[in-house]
Amino acid sequence: MKISPVLILLIACIVVILAAGCTGTGSSGTPATPTPQVIYVTVTVTPAPTAPNCYWNPQTMSCSSQPYTAPPTMVVVTTATTAAPDPILHRWIRQNADGVTGYEFQFYPDGTVIYKAGNIVTVSGNVKIPSPTVSGSGTWSALGNAHYLVKVSYAGNSGAPDIIRDYTLDPQYATLPQHLISSYEQADVDAATTNGTIHSYATDVFYLEQAPQDSE
């Protein structure tokens, strides 16, 4: 078979083109690195206000161009009135007509009362019962209008109170100092006045009298 000269020429051209592509300048077999592109982004920044243009406002929780001024605070002044202590809160003592014995009540702010009875001694003008033969405790309550209810049980007695008296606080009258009186004391005074005993003991205290010193 006879090959056409044209076909031979065509094949020769193809071989030359392929050889040029494989051995040309810059074709070392490694792909070329692309050139990076630079992208510019525009950002708008608002600067934060600084002093003295920024004053914190706690009401709006933000800055203000003017200093924050707190509204005036209304101060309510209240005057506490301390109540005067109850006038019965003392040690009250009574000397019997015999001039030797007597009894006393010691009233406390919590509504309790201590009772003592026995021989009376006088120390520096203060009448006391240092060694009571009878003692007890109980309660007192204000009934109003200078009246007080006293309930006392003797020591060792867990039953009903042995003393229940309604006392009245009387002011000073002539030589008689401020005193407590109940029907019990008044009965003794009336009896002593009737039989003349009261005139024999001019210095005796027949009413419960506030002691010169409140300490025991």
Side-chain angles (χ1 to χ4, degrees):
M1 180 176 178
K2 187 178 181 179
I3 298 175
S4 171
V6 176
L7 180 58
I8 294 173
L9 180 60
L10 181 60
I11 291 173
C13 289
I14 292 174
V15 172
V16 171
I17 293 173
L18 289 176
C22 294
T23 60
T25 303
S27 54
S28 60
T30 301
T33 302
T35 302
Q37 295 182 354
V38 179
I39 301 176
Y40 295 93
V41 178
T42 302
V43 178
T44 302
V45 178
T46 302
T50 58
N53 297 322
C54 176
Y55 299 93
W56 183 253
N57 188 326
Q59 290 188 336
T60 61
M61 300 299 289
S62 62
C63 282
S64 175
S65 59
Q66 297 296 326
Y68 171 75
T69 302
T73 302
M74 181 177 294
V75 178
V76 179
V77 179
T78 58
T79 303
T81 302
T82 303
D86 198 292
I88 203 175
L89 296 178
H90 294 287
R91 186 171 66 90
W92 300 81
I93 192 166
R94 180 193 187 222
Q95 185 175 351
N96 293 327
D98 59 14
V100 178
T101 61
Y103 55 90
E104 71 173 44
F105 291 99
Q106 175 72 59
F107 295 93
Y108 294 94
D110 62 354
T112 58
V113 59
I114 299 298
Y115 173 82
K116 294 179 181 180
N119 291 339
I120 291 178
V121 298
T122 303
V123 180
S124 300
N126 193 9
V127 182
K128 296 184 177 183
I129 305 177
S131 302
T133 56
V134 179
S135 62
S137 61
T139 60
W140 69 271
S141 56
L143 302 178
N145 195 23
H147 283 266
Y148 299 88
L149 180 62
V150 178
K151 299 180 180 180
V152 172
S153 296
Y154 296 139
N157 179 14
S158 59
D162 298 283
I163 297 175
I164 300 179
R165 297 177 193 169
D166 183 353
Y167 278 102
T168 302
L169 178 63
D170 285 350
Q172 181 175 350
Y173 176 75
T175 59
L176 186 65
Q178 186 183 49
H179 57 279
L180 292 178
I181 187 172
S182 71
S183 58
Y184 178 85
E185 282 78 21
Q186 188 61 54
D188 273 4
V189 171
D190 293 342
T193 303
T194 301
N195 62 29
T197 305
I198 192 171
H199 302 293
S200 302
Y201 299 94
T203 58
D204 289 349
V205 179
F206 292 96
Y207 297 99
L208 281 176
E209 179 185 358
Q210 182 180 334
Q213 298 178 14
D214 293 334
S215 59
E216 292 295 332

